[in-house]
Amino acid sequence: IPLLCRALAMSKRPLLLFASPWTAPAWMRSNGDVRGKGTLKGKAGDKYHKTWANYFIKFLDEYAKHNVTFWAVTAQNEPLAGLFTPPQAPTIAFTAAQQRDFIAEDLGPALVRSPHRTRLLMLDDQRIHLPHWAKVVLGNATAARYVAGLAVHWYLDAIVPPGCSLEATHKLFPDHFLLYTEACTGFFMF
């Protein structure tokens, strides 16, 4: 928070911050641990999903106390990595249908009820999952009204051309923006 406050004070223009969660607390996860393969317990609309959605609001509340606001949050960082991740990685697995239901029943309504004007981004994973993921989530009118855009990562871009992923998705859902949210060099050892 002190570093963000310094950056905000130094910037000549507003900074648009976004946050993306890795994992829920262990007691909310199917494997009882913050690490490894696991999902949120239960299903959308239940106490676990509502509590997890409220964690987002508490996060935004606490930062707001320090005059740090977030332009956007993602529903989950790398939701499919939770199925394939090394055993020590802290992540929650979501399918597109599970993320859709979580957004429609829990996270979207929680954000709308909150005092925050924070936008919601979906996917936040490899673009190889497009346009399928968008069709599942944004094809649902309830979920779509809560989602501002799609967050994508670049690590597997060489596998699928942009026309088959980004362009196809944009043509299907032109009112939702596409934003690269994660990239790094040195990802592939070769």
Side-chain angles (χ1 to χ4, degrees):
I1 289 173
L3 291 174
L4 286 173
C5 288
R6 284 179 58 199
L8 290 165
M10 292 171 59
S11 179
K12 291 179 177 28
R13 293 180 275 182
L15 296 180
L16 300 178
L17 304 175
F18 86 95
S20 188
W22 271 99
T23 188
W27 67 269
M28 298 170 80
R29 291 175 40 105
S30 62
N31 67 348
D33 194 334
V34 296
R35 297 162 299 175
K37 296 175 178 74
T39 61
L40 282 177
K41 289 180 181 176
K43 60 182 182 169
D46 70 9
K47 67 178 182 178
Y48 297 105
H49 287 71
K50 294 220 177 294
T51 301
W52 182 229
N54 286 329
Y55 265 68
F56 283 73
I57 306 309
K58 294 286 187 185
F59 168 85
L60 296 170
D61 290 345
E62 291 303 314
Y63 274 82
K65 289 177 184 177
H66 300 276
N67 295 316
V68 176
T69 59
F70 285 82
W71 166 74
V73 294
T74 70
Q76 176 61 42
N77 184 57
E78 296 188 354
L80 287 173
L83 300 173
F84 310 107
T85 189
Q88 297 304 312
T91 187
I92 300 173
F94 275 102
T95 64
Q98 289 168 326
Q99 188 172 87
R100 174 200 63 213
D101 297 345
F102 175 57
I103 288 170
E105 296 185 39
D106 306 298
L107 184 54
L111 283 168
V112 168
R113 285 190 308 269
S114 81
H116 308 287
R117 298 301 65 150
T118 305
R119 290 169 177 83
L120 177 58
L121 308 182
M122 56 163 278
L123 183 58
D124 206 16
D125 209 329
Q126 310 308 317
R127 80 171 193 215
I128 196 169
H129 305 300
L130 296 174
H132 166 73
W133 201 279
K135 287 178 184 177
V136 172
V137 178
L138 299 178
N140 177 283
T142 303
R145 78 170 184 249
Y146 296 120
V147 175
L150 293 86
V152 292
H153 299 180
W154 81 322
Y155 306 110
L156 302 178
D157 280 3
I159 295 172
V160 60
C164 297
S165 56
L166 300 173
E167 186 177 346
T169 302
H170 176 67
K171 284 180 180 176
L172 289 168
F173 304 100
D175 295 333
H176 292 83
F177 61 83
L178 295 152
L179 177 69
Y180 271 95
T181 55
E182 187 177 316
C184 70
T185 58
F187 172 69
F188 293 112
M189 300 307 264
F190 49 88

Coordinates of all heavy atoms in Angstrom, one line a residue, residues 46-133:
D46 N -23.8 -20.8 -2.9 CA -23.7 -21.3 -1.5 C -22.8 -20.4 -0.6 O -22.3 -19.4 -1.1 CB -23.2 -22.8 -1.5 CG -21.8 -23.0 -1.9 OD1 -21.0 -22.0 -2.0 OD2 -21.3 -24.1 -2.1
K47 N -22.7 -20.8 0.6 CA -22.0 -20.0 1.6 C -20.5 -19.8 1.2 O -19.9 -18.7 1.5 CB -22.1 -20.6 3.0 CG -21.4 -21.9 3.2 CD -21.5 -22.3 4.7 CE -20.8 -23.6 4.9 NZ -20.9 -24.1 6.3
Y48 N -19.9 -20.8 0.6 CA -18.4 -20.7 0.3 C -18.3 -19.6 -0.8 O -17.4 -18.8 -0.8 CB -17.9 -22.0 -0.1 CG -17.9 -23.0 1.0 CD1 -18.8 -24.1 1.0 CD2 -17.0 -22.9 2.0 CE1 -18.9 -25.0 2.0 CE2 -17.0 -23.8 3.1 CZ -18.0 -24.9 3.1 OH -18.0 -25.8 4.1
H49 N -19.1 -19.7 -1.9 CA -19.0 -18.8 -3.0 C -19.4 -17.4 -2.6 O -18.7 -16.4 -3.0 CB -19.8 -19.3 -4.2 CG -19.2 -20.5 -4.8 ND1 -19.2 -21.8 -4.2 CD2 -18.6 -20.7 -6.0 CE1 -18.6 -22.6 -5.1 NE2 -18.2 -22.0 -6.1
K50 N -20.4 -17.2 -1.8 CA -20.8 -15.9 -1.3 C -19.7 -15.3 -0.4 O -19.4 -14.1 -0.5 CB -22.1 -16.0 -0.6 CG -23.2 -16.3 -1.5 CD -24.5 -15.6 -1.3 CE -25.6 -15.9 -2.3 NZ -25.3 -15.5 -3.6
T51 N -19.1 -16.1 0.4 CA -18.0 -15.6 1.3 C -16.8 -15.3 0.5 O -16.2 -14.2 0.7 CB -17.7 -16.7 2.3 OG1 -18.8 -17.0 3.1 CG2 -16.5 -16.2 3.3
W52 N -16.5 -16.1 -0.5 CA -15.3 -15.7 -1.4 C -15.6 -14.4 -2.1 O -14.7 -13.6 -2.2 CB -15.0 -16.9 -2.3 CG -13.8 -16.7 -3.2 CD1 -13.8 -16.8 -4.6 CD2 -12.5 -16.3 -2.9 NE1 -12.5 -16.6 -5.1 CE2 -11.7 -16.2 -4.0 CE3 -11.9 -15.9 -1.7 CZ2 -10.4 -15.8 -4.0 CZ3 -10.6 -15.5 -1.7 CH2 -9.8 -15.5 -2.9
A53 N -16.8 -14.2 -2.6 CA -17.1 -13.0 -3.3 C -17.0 -11.8 -2.3 O -16.5 -10.7 -2.7 CB -18.6 -13.0 -3.9
N54 N -17.4 -12.0 -1.1 CA -17.3 -10.9 -0.1 C -15.8 -10.6 0.3 O -15.5 -9.5 0.7 CB -18.1 -11.3 1.2 CG -19.6 -11.1 0.9 OD1 -20.0 -10.3 0.1 ND2 -20.4 -11.9 1.5
Y55 N -14.9 -11.6 0.1 CA -13.5 -11.4 0.3 C -13.0 -10.3 -0.7 O -12.2 -9.4 -0.3 CB -12.7 -12.6 0.1 CG -12.4 -13.4 1.3 CD1 -13.3 -14.1 2.1 CD2 -11.0 -13.5 1.8 CE1 -13.1 -14.8 3.2 CE2 -10.7 -14.3 2.9 CZ -11.7 -14.9 3.6 OH -11.4 -15.6 4.7
F56 N -13.5 -10.3 -1.9 CA -13.2 -9.3 -2.9 C -13.6 -7.9 -2.4 O -12.8 -7.0 -2.5 CB -13.9 -9.6 -4.2 CG -13.4 -10.7 -5.1 CD1 -13.5 -12.0 -4.7 CD2 -12.7 -10.4 -6.3 CE1 -13.0 -13.0 -5.5 CE2 -12.2 -11.4 -7.1 CZ -12.4 -12.7 -6.7
I57 N -14.8 -7.8 -1.9 CA -15.3 -6.5 -1.4 C -14.4 -6.1 -0.2 O -14.1 -4.9 -0.1 CB -16.8 -6.6 -1.0 CG1 -17.6 -7.2 -2.2 CG2 -17.3 -5.3 -0.6 CD1 -17.4 -6.5 -3.5
K58 N -14.1 -7.0 0.7 CA -13.3 -6.6 1.9 C -11.9 -6.1 1.4 O -11.4 -5.2 2.0 CB -13.1 -7.8 2.8 CG -14.4 -8.2 3.5 CD -14.8 -7.3 4.6 CE -16.0 -7.8 5.3 NZ -16.5 -6.9 6.3
F59 N -11.4 -6.8 0.4 CA -10.1 -6.4 -0.2 C -10.2 -4.9 -0.7 O -9.3 -4.1 -0.4 CB -9.7 -7.3 -1.3 CG -8.6 -6.9 -2.1 CD1 -7.2 -7.1 -1.8 CD2 -8.8 -6.2 -3.3 CE1 -6.2 -6.7 -2.6 CE2 -7.8 -5.8 -4.1 CZ -6.5 -6.0 -3.8
L60 N -11.2 -4.7 -1.5 CA -11.4 -3.3 -2.0 C -11.6 -2.3 -0.9 O -11.1 -1.2 -1.0 CB -12.6 -3.3 -3.0 CG -12.3 -4.2 -4.3 CD1 -13.6 -4.3 -5.0 CD2 -11.2 -3.6 -5.1
D61 N -12.4 -2.7 0.1 CA -12.7 -1.8 1.3 C -11.4 -1.4 2.0 O -11.2 -0.3 2.3 CB -13.6 -2.5 2.3 CG -15.0 -2.7 1.9 OD1 -15.4 -2.1 0.9 OD2 -15.7 -3.5 2.5
E62 N -10.5 -2.4 2.2 CA -9.3 -2.1 3.0 C -8.3 -1.2 2.2 O -7.7 -0.3 2.8 CB -8.6 -3.5 3.4 CG -9.4 -4.3 4.4 CD -9.6 -3.5 5.7 OE1 -8.7 -2.8 6.2 OE2 -10.8 -3.5 6.2
Y63 N -8.2 -1.5 0.9 CA -7.4 -0.6 0.1 C -8.0 0.8 0.0 O -7.2 1.8 0.1 CB -7.1 -1.2 -1.3 CG -6.0 -2.1 -1.3 CD1 -6.1 -3.4 -0.9 CD2 -4.7 -1.7 -1.7 CE1 -5.1 -4.3 -0.9 CE2 -3.6 -2.6 -1.7 CZ -3.8 -3.9 -1.3 OH -2.7 -4.8 -1.3
A64 N -9.3 0.9 -0.1 CA -9.9 2.2 -0.2 C -9.7 3.1 1.1 O -9.6 4.3 1.0 CB -11.4 2.0 -0.4
K65 N -9.5 2.4 2.2 CA -9.2 3.1 3.5 C -7.9 3.9 3.3 O -7.6 4.8 4.1 CB -9.1 2.2 4.7 CG -10.4 1.6 5.1 CD -10.3 0.6 6.2 CE -11.6 0.0 6.6 NZ -11.4 -1.1 7.6
H66 N -7.0 3.5 2.4 CA -5.7 4.1 2.1 C -5.8 4.9 0.8 O -4.7 5.2 0.3 CB -4.6 3.1 2.1 CG -4.5 2.3 3.4 ND1 -3.8 2.8 4.5 CD2 -5.0 1.1 3.8 CE1 -3.9 1.9 5.4 NE2 -4.6 0.9 5.1
N67 N -7.0 5.2 0.3 CA -7.2 6.0 -0.9 C -6.6 5.3 -2.1 O -6.1 5.9 -3.1 CB -6.6 7.4 -0.8 CG -7.4 8.2 0.2 OD1 -8.6 8.1 0.3 ND2 -6.7 8.9 1.1
V68 N -6.6 4.0 -2.1 CA -6.1 3.2 -3.3 C -7.4 2.5 -3.8 O -8.0 1.7 -3.1 CB -5.1 2.1 -2.9 CG1 -4.7 1.3 -4.1 CG2 -3.8 2.8 -2.3
T69 N -7.7 2.8 -5.0 CA -8.9 2.2 -5.6 C -8.5 1.3 -6.8 O -7.5 1.6 -7.5 CB -9.9 3.2 -6.1 OG1 -9.3 4.1 -7.0 CG2 -10.5 4.0 -4.9
F70 N -9.3 0.3 -7.1 CA -9.0 -0.6 -8.2 C -9.9 -0.4 -9.4 O -11.1 -0.4 -9.2 CB -9.0 -2.0 -7.7 CG -7.8 -2.4 -6.9 CD1 -7.7 -2.0 -5.6 CD2 -6.7 -3.0 -7.5 CE1 -6.6 -2.3 -4.8 CE2 -5.5 -3.2 -6.7 CZ -5.5 -2.9 -5.4
W71 N -9.4 -0.2 -10.6 CA -10.1 -0.1 -11.8 C -10.9 -1.4 -12.1 O -12.0 -1.4 -12.5 CB -9.2 0.3 -12.9 CG -9.8 0.2 -14.3 CD1 -10.7 1.0 -14.9 CD2 -9.5 -0.8 -15.2 NE1 -11.0 0.6 -16.1 CE2 -10.2 -0.6 -16.4 CE3 -8.6 -1.9 -15.2 CZ2 -10.2 -1.4 -17.5 CZ3 -8.5 -2.7 -16.4 CH2 -9.3 -2.4 -17.5
A72 N -10.2 -2.5 -11.8 CA -10.8 -3.8 -12.1 C -10.3 -4.9 -11.2 O -9.2 -4.8 -10.6 CB -10.5 -4.2 -13.6
V73 N -11.0 -6.0 -11.1 CA -10.6 -7.2 -10.5 C -10.9 -8.4 -11.5 O -11.8 -8.2 -12.4 CB -11.3 -7.6 -9.2 CG1 -10.9 -6.6 -8.1 CG2 -12.8 -7.7 -9.3
T74 N -10.2 -9.4 -11.4 CA -10.5 -10.6 -12.2 C -11.1 -11.6 -11.3 O -10.9 -11.6 -10.1 CB -9.3 -11.2 -12.9 OG1 -8.4 -11.8 -12.0 CG2 -8.5 -10.2 -13.7
A75 N -12.0 -12.5 -11.9 CA -12.7 -13.5 -11.1 C -11.7 -14.5 -10.5 O -12.0 -15.1 -9.5 CB -13.8 -14.1 -11.9
Q76 N -10.6 -14.8 -11.2 CA -9.6 -15.8 -10.8 C -8.5 -15.7 -11.7 O -8.6 -15.7 -12.9 CB -10.2 -17.2 -10.8 CG -9.3 -18.3 -10.4 CD -8.7 -18.2 -9.0 OE1 -9.4 -17.8 -8.1 NE2 -7.4 -18.4 -8.9
N77 N -7.3 -15.7 -11.2 CA -6.1 -15.8 -12.0 C -5.8 -17.3 -12.4 O -5.8 -18.2 -11.6 CB -4.8 -15.3 -11.2 CG -3.6 -15.3 -12.1 OD1 -3.6 -14.7 -13.1 ND2 -2.6 -16.0 -11.7
E78 N -5.7 -17.5 -13.7 CA -5.4 -18.8 -14.3 C -6.3 -19.9 -13.7 O -5.8 -20.8 -13.1 CB -3.9 -19.1 -14.2 CG -3.1 -18.1 -15.0 CD -1.6 -18.5 -15.1 OE1 -1.2 -19.5 -14.4 OE2 -0.9 -17.8 -15.8
P79 N -7.6 -19.8 -13.9 CA -8.5 -20.8 -13.4 C -8.3 -22.2 -13.9 O -8.5 -23.1 -13.1 CB -9.9 -20.3 -13.8 CG -9.6 -19.4 -15.0 CD -8.3 -18.8 -14.7
L80 N -7.7 -22.4 -15.1 CA -7.4 -23.7 -15.5 C -6.1 -24.2 -15.0 O -5.9 -25.4 -15.0 CB -7.5 -23.8 -17.0 CG -9.0 -23.7 -17.5 CD1 -9.1 -23.6 -19.0 CD2 -9.8 -24.9 -17.0
A81 N -5.2 -23.4 -14.6 CA -3.9 -23.8 -14.0 C -4.2 -24.6 -12.8 O -3.4 -25.5 -12.4 CB -3.1 -22.6 -13.7
G82 N -5.3 -24.4 -12.1 CA -5.6 -25.1 -10.9 C -5.8 -26.6 -11.2 O -5.7 -27.4 -10.3
L83 N -6.0 -27.0 -12.4 CA -6.2 -28.4 -12.8 C -4.8 -29.0 -13.1 O -4.6 -30.2 -13.0 CB -7.1 -28.5 -14.0 CG -8.5 -28.0 -13.8 CD1 -9.2 -28.1 -15.2 CD2 -9.2 -28.8 -12.8
F84 N -3.8 -28.2 -13.5 CA -2.6 -28.7 -14.0 C -1.3 -28.2 -13.2 O -0.2 -28.6 -13.5 CB -2.4 -28.3 -15.5 CG -3.5 -28.6 -16.3 CD1 -4.4 -27.6 -16.8 CD2 -3.9 -29.9 -16.6 CE1 -5.5 -27.9 -17.6 CE2 -5.0 -30.2 -17.4 CZ -5.8 -29.2 -17.9
T85 N -1.6 -27.5 -12.2 CA -0.5 -26.8 -11.5 C 0.4 -27.7 -10.7 O -0.1 -28.8 -10.2 CB -1.1 -25.7 -10.5 OG1 -0.1 -24.9 -10.0 CG2 -1.9 -26.3 -9.4
P86 N 1.6 -27.3 -10.4 CA 2.5 -28.1 -9.5 C 1.8 -28.1 -8.1 O 1.1 -27.2 -7.8 CB 3.8 -27.3 -9.5 CG 3.8 -26.5 -10.7 CD 2.3 -26.2 -11.0
P87 N 2.1 -29.1 -7.3 CA 1.4 -29.3 -6.0 C 1.6 -28.2 -5.1 O 0.7 -28.0 -4.2 CB 2.0 -30.6 -5.5 CG 3.1 -31.0 -6.3 CD 3.1 -30.2 -7.6
Q88 N 2.6 -27.3 -5.2 CA 2.7 -26.2 -4.2 C 2.1 -24.9 -4.6 O 2.1 -24.0 -3.9 CB 4.2 -26.0 -3.9 CG 4.9 -27.2 -3.2 CD 4.2 -27.7 -2.0 OE1 3.9 -26.8 -1.1 NE2 3.9 -28.9 -1.8
A89 N 1.7 -24.8 -5.9 CA 1.1 -23.5 -6.4 C -0.2 -23.2 -5.7 O -1.1 -24.1 -5.6 CB 1.0 -23.6 -7.9
P90 N -0.5 -22.0 -5.3 CA -1.7 -21.6 -4.7 C -2.7 -21.1 -5.7 O -2.6 -20.0 -6.2 CB -1.3 -20.5 -3.7 CG -0.2 -19.9 -4.4 CD 0.6 -21.0 -5.1
T91 N -3.6 -21.9 -6.1 CA -4.6 -21.5 -7.2 C -5.9 -22.3 -7.0 O -5.9 -23.4 -6.5 CB -4.0 -21.7 -8.6 OG1 -4.9 -21.1 -9.5 CG2 -3.7 -23.1 -8.9
I92 N -7.0 -21.7 -7.5 CA -8.3 -22.3 -7.5 C -8.7 -22.7 -8.9 O -8.6 -21.9 -9.8 CB -9.4 -21.4 -6.9 CG1 -9.1 -21.0 -5.5 CG2 -10.8 -22.0 -7.0 CD1 -10.0 -19.9 -5.0
A93 N -9.1 -23.9 -9.1 CA -9.6 -24.3 -10.5 C -11.0 -23.9 -10.7 O -11.8 -24.1 -9.8 CB -9.4 -25.8 -10.6
F94 N -11.3 -23.4 -11.8 CA -12.6 -23.1 -12.3 C -12.8 -23.6 -13.7 O -11.8 -23.4 -14.5 CB -12.9 -21.6 -12.3 CG -13.4 -21.0 -11.1 CD1 -12.5 -20.2 -10.3 CD2 -14.7 -21.0 -10.7 CE1 -12.9 -19.6 -9.1 CE2 -15.1 -20.4 -9.5 CZ -14.2 -19.7 -8.7
T95 N -13.9 -24.2 -14.1 CA -14.2 -24.4 -15.5 C -14.9 -23.1 -15.9 O -15.3 -22.2 -15.1 CB -15.1 -25.6 -15.7 OG1 -16.4 -25.3 -15.1 CG2 -14.5 -26.9 -15.2
A96 N -15.1 -23.0 -17.2 CA -15.8 -21.8 -17.7 C -17.2 -21.7 -17.1 O -17.7 -20.6 -16.7 CB -15.9 -21.8 -19.3
A97 N -17.9 -22.9 -17.0 CA -19.3 -22.9 -16.5 C -19.2 -22.5 -15.0 O -20.1 -21.8 -14.5 CB -19.9 -24.3 -16.7
Q98 N -18.2 -23.0 -14.2 CA -18.1 -22.6 -12.8 C -17.9 -21.1 -12.6 O -18.4 -20.5 -11.8 CB -17.0 -23.5 -12.1 CG -17.4 -24.9 -12.0 CD -16.2 -25.8 -11.6 OE1 -15.1 -25.5 -12.0 NE2 -16.5 -26.8 -10.8
Q99 N -17.0 -20.6 -13.5 CA -16.7 -19.1 -13.4 C -18.0 -18.3 -13.8 O -18.3 -17.3 -13.1 CB -15.5 -18.7 -14.3 CG -15.1 -17.3 -14.0 CD -13.8 -16.9 -14.7 OE1 -13.9 -16.5 -15.9 NE2 -12.7 -17.0 -14.0
R100 N -18.7 -18.8 -14.8 CA -19.9 -18.1 -15.2 C -20.9 -18.1 -14.0 O -21.4 -17.0 -13.7 CB -20.5 -18.9 -16.4 CG -21.9 -18.4 -16.8 CD -22.7 -19.4 -17.6 NE -22.9 -20.6 -16.8 CZ -23.0 -21.8 -17.3 NH1 -22.8 -22.1 -18.6 NH2 -23.2 -22.9 -16.5
D101 N -21.1 -19.2 -13.4 CA -22.1 -19.3 -12.3 C -21.6 -18.4 -11.1 O -22.4 -17.8 -10.4 CB -22.3 -20.7 -11.9 CG -22.9 -21.5 -13.0 OD1 -23.5 -20.9 -14.0 OD2 -22.9 -22.8 -12.9
F102 N -20.3 -18.5 -10.8 CA -19.8 -17.7 -9.7 C -20.0 -16.2 -10.0 O -20.4 -15.4 -9.1 CB -18.3 -18.0 -9.5 CG -17.6 -17.1 -8.4 CD1 -18.0 -17.0 -7.1 CD2 -16.5 -16.4 -8.8 CE1 -17.4 -16.3 -6.2 CE2 -15.8 -15.6 -7.8 CZ -16.3 -15.5 -6.5
I103 N -19.7 -15.7 -11.2 CA -19.9 -14.3 -11.6 C -21.4 -14.0 -11.5 O -21.8 -12.9 -10.9 CB -19.3 -14.1 -13.0 CG1 -17.8 -14.1 -13.0 CG2 -19.9 -12.8 -13.6 CD1 -17.2 -14.1 -14.3
A104 N -22.2 -14.8 -12.1 CA -23.7 -14.5 -12.1 C -24.4 -14.5 -10.8 O -25.2 -13.6 -10.5 CB -24.4 -15.5 -13.1
E105 N -24.0 -15.4 -9.9 CA -24.7 -15.6 -8.7 C -24.0 -14.9 -7.4 O -24.7 -14.6 -6.5 CB -24.9 -17.1 -8.4 CG -25.8 -17.8 -9.4 CD -26.1 -19.2 -9.0 OE1 -26.3 -19.5 -7.8 OE2 -26.1 -20.1 -9.9
D106 N -22.7 -14.7 -7.5 CA -22.0 -14.3 -6.3 C -21.2 -13.0 -6.5 O -21.5 -12.0 -5.9 CB -21.1 -15.4 -5.8 CG -21.9 -16.7 -5.6 OD1 -22.8 -16.7 -4.7 OD2 -21.6 -17.7 -6.2
L107 N -20.2 -13.1 -7.4 CA -19.2 -12.0 -7.5 C -19.8 -10.8 -8.1 O -19.7 -9.7 -7.7 CB -18.0 -12.5 -8.2 CG -16.8 -11.4 -8.3 CD1 -16.4 -10.9 -7.0 CD2 -15.6 -12.0 -9.1
G108 N -20.5 -11.0 -9.2 CA -21.2 -9.8 -9.9 C -22.1 -9.1 -9.0 O -22.0 -7.8 -8.8
P109 N -23.1 -9.8 -8.4 CA -24.0 -9.1 -7.5 C -23.3 -8.4 -6.3 O -23.6 -7.3 -5.9 CB -24.9 -10.2 -7.0 CG -24.9 -11.2 -8.1 CD -23.5 -11.1 -8.6
A110 N -22.2 -9.0 -5.7 CA -21.5 -8.5 -4.6 C -20.8 -7.2 -5.0 O -20.8 -6.2 -4.3 CB -20.4 -9.4 -4.1
L111 N -20.2 -7.1 -6.2 CA -19.6 -5.9 -6.7 C -20.6 -4.8 -6.9 O -20.4 -3.6 -6.6 CB -18.8 -6.2 -8.0 CG -17.4 -6.9 -7.8 CD1 -16.9 -7.3 -9.1 CD2 -16.4 -6.0 -7.1
V112 N -21.7 -5.1 -7.5 CA -22.8 -4.1 -7.8 C -23.3 -3.6 -6.5 O -23.6 -2.4 -6.4 CB -23.9 -4.7 -8.6 CG1 -25.1 -3.8 -8.7 CG2 -23.4 -5.0 -10.0
R113 N -23.5 -4.4 -5.4 CA -24.0 -3.9 -4.1 C -23.0 -3.1 -3.4 O -23.3 -2.3 -2.5 CB -24.4 -5.1 -3.3 CG -25.7 -5.7 -3.6 CD -26.1 -6.7 -2.6 NE -25.1 -7.7 -2.2 CZ -25.0 -8.9 -2.8 NH1 -25.8 -9.3 -3.8 NH2 -24.0 -9.7 -2.4
S114 N -21.7 -3.2 -3.7 CA -20.6 -2.5 -3.0 C -20.6 -1.1 -3.4 O -21.1 -0.7 -4.4 CB -19.3 -3.2 -3.3 OG -18.7 -2.8 -4.5
P115 N -19.8 -0.3 -2.6 CA -19.7 1.1 -3.0 C -18.6 1.3 -4.1 O -18.4 2.5 -4.5 CB -19.2 1.8 -1.7 CG -18.6 0.7 -0.9 CD -19.3 -0.6 -1.3
H116 N -17.9 0.3 -4.5 CA -16.8 0.4 -5.4 C -17.3 0.4 -6.9 O -18.2 -0.4 -7.2 CB -15.8 -0.8 -5.2 CG -15.4 -0.9 -3.7 ND1 -14.6 0.0 -3.1 CD2 -15.8 -1.7 -2.7 CE1 -14.4 -0.3 -1.9 NE2 -15.1 -1.3 -1.6
R117 N -16.7 1.1 -7.7 CA -17.0 1.1 -9.1 C -16.0 0.3 -9.9 O -15.7 0.6 -11.0 CB -17.0 2.6 -9.7 CG -18.1 3.5 -9.0 CD -19.5 3.0 -9.2 NE -19.7 1.7 -8.5 CZ -20.7 1.2 -7.9 NH1 -21.8 1.8 -7.9 NH2 -20.8 0.1 -7.3
T118 N -15.5 -0.8 -9.3 CA -14.5 -1.6 -9.9 C -15.1 -2.5 -10.9 O -16.2 -3.1 -10.7 CB -13.9 -2.5 -8.7 OG1 -13.4 -1.6 -7.7 CG2 -12.8 -3.4 -9.2
R119 N -14.5 -2.6 -12.1 CA -14.9 -3.5 -13.2 C -14.5 -4.9 -12.9 O -13.6 -5.2 -12.2 CB -14.4 -3.0 -14.5 CG -14.9 -1.6 -14.9 CD -14.1 -1.1 -16.1 NE -14.6 0.1 -16.6 CZ -14.4 1.3 -16.1 NH1 -13.6 1.4 -15.0 NH2 -14.9 2.4 -16.6
L120 N -15.2 -5.8 -13.6 CA -14.9 -7.2 -13.4 C -14.4 -7.8 -14.8 O -15.1 -7.6 -15.8 CB -16.2 -8.0 -13.0 CG -16.1 -9.5 -12.9 CD1 -15.0 -9.9 -11.9 CD2 -17.4 -10.1 -12.4
L121 N -13.3 -8.5 -14.7 CA -12.7 -9.1 -15.9 C -12.9 -10.6 -15.7 O -12.7 -11.1 -14.6 CB -11.3 -8.8 -16.1 CG -10.9 -7.3 -16.1 CD1 -9.4 -7.1 -16.3 CD2 -11.7 -6.6 -17.1
M122 N -13.1 -11.4 -16.8 CA -13.2 -12.8 -16.7 C -12.0 -13.5 -17.4 O -11.2 -12.8 -18.0 CB -14.5 -13.3 -17.4 CG -14.6 -12.8 -18.8 SD -15.8 -13.6 -19.8 CE -14.9 -15.1 -20.3
L123 N -11.9 -14.8 -17.3 CA -10.9 -15.7 -17.8 C -9.6 -15.4 -17.1 O -9.3 -16.2 -16.2 CB -10.7 -15.6 -19.3 CG -9.7 -16.5 -19.9 CD1 -10.0 -18.0 -19.6 CD2 -9.6 -16.3 -21.4
D124 N -8.8 -14.4 -17.4 CA -7.4 -14.2 -16.9 C -6.6 -15.4 -17.0 O -6.0 -15.9 -16.0 CB -7.5 -13.7 -15.4 CG -6.3 -12.8 -15.0 OD1 -5.6 -12.4 -15.9 OD2 -6.1 -12.6 -13.8
D125 N -6.6 -16.0 -18.2 CA -5.8 -17.2 -18.4 C -5.4 -17.1 -19.9 O -5.6 -16.1 -20.6 CB -6.6 -18.4 -18.2 CG -5.8 -19.7 -17.8 OD1 -4.7 -19.8 -18.2 OD2 -6.3 -20.5 -17.0
Q126 N -4.8 -18.2 -20.4 CA -4.3 -18.2 -21.8 C -5.3 -18.0 -22.8 O -6.5 -18.4 -22.7 CB -3.6 -19.6 -22.1 CG -2.7 -20.1 -21.0 CD -1.6 -19.1 -20.7 OE1 -1.0 -18.5 -21.5 NE2 -1.3 -18.9 -19.4
R127 N -5.0 -17.3 -23.9 CA -5.9 -17.0 -24.9 C -6.3 -18.2 -25.7 O -7.3 -18.2 -26.5 CB -5.4 -15.9 -25.8 CG -4.5 -16.3 -26.9 CD -4.2 -15.2 -27.9 NE -3.5 -15.7 -29.0 CZ -2.6 -15.0 -29.7 NH1 -2.3 -13.8 -29.3 NH2 -2.1 -15.6 -30.8
I128 N -5.6 -19.3 -25.5 CA -6.0 -20.5 -26.2 C -7.4 -21.0 -25.8 O -8.1 -21.7 -26.5 CB -5.0 -21.7 -25.9 CG1 -5.1 -22.8 -26.8 CG2 -5.1 -22.1 -24.4 CD1 -4.0 -23.8 -26.8
H129 N -7.9 -20.5 -24.7 CA -9.2 -20.8 -24.2 C -10.3 -20.0 -24.8 O -11.5 -20.2 -24.6 CB -9.3 -20.7 -22.7 CG -8.3 -21.5 -22.0 ND1 -8.2 -22.9 -22.1 CD2 -7.2 -21.1 -21.2 CE1 -7.1 -23.3 -21.4 NE2 -6.5 -22.2 -20.8
L130 N -10.0 -19.1 -25.7 CA -10.9 -18.2 -26.4 C -11.2 -18.9 -27.8 O -10.3 -19.5 -28.4 CB -10.4 -16.8 -26.6 CG -10.1 -16.0 -25.4 CD1 -9.5 -14.7 -25.7 CD2 -11.4 -15.8 -24.6
P131 N -12.4 -18.7 -28.3 CA -13.5 -18.0 -27.8 C -14.4 -18.9 -26.9 O -15.5 -18.4 -26.4 CB -14.3 -17.6 -29.1 CG -14.0 -18.6 -30.1 CD -12.6 -19.1 -29.7
H132 N -14.1 -20.2 -26.7 CA -15.0 -21.1 -25.9 C -15.3 -20.4 -24.6 O -16.5 -20.4 -24.2 CB -14.3 -22.4 -25.7 CG -15.0 -23.2 -24.7 ND1 -16.2 -23.8 -24.9 CD2 -14.6 -23.5 -23.4 CE1 -16.6 -24.5 -23.8 NE2 -15.6 -24.3 -22.9
W133 N -14.3 -20.0 -23.8 CA -14.6 -19.5 -22.5 C -15.6 -18.3 -22.6 O -16.5 -18.2 -21.8 CB -13.3 -19.1 -21.8 CG -13.3 -19.0 -20.3 CD1 -13.8 -17.9 -19.6 CD2 -12.9 -19.9 -19.4 NE1 -13.7 -18.2 -18.3 CE2 -13.1 -19.4 -18.1 CE3 -12.3 -21.2 -19.5 CZ2 -12.8 -20.1 -17.0 CZ3 -12.0 -21.9 -18.4 CH2 -12.2 -21.3 -17.1

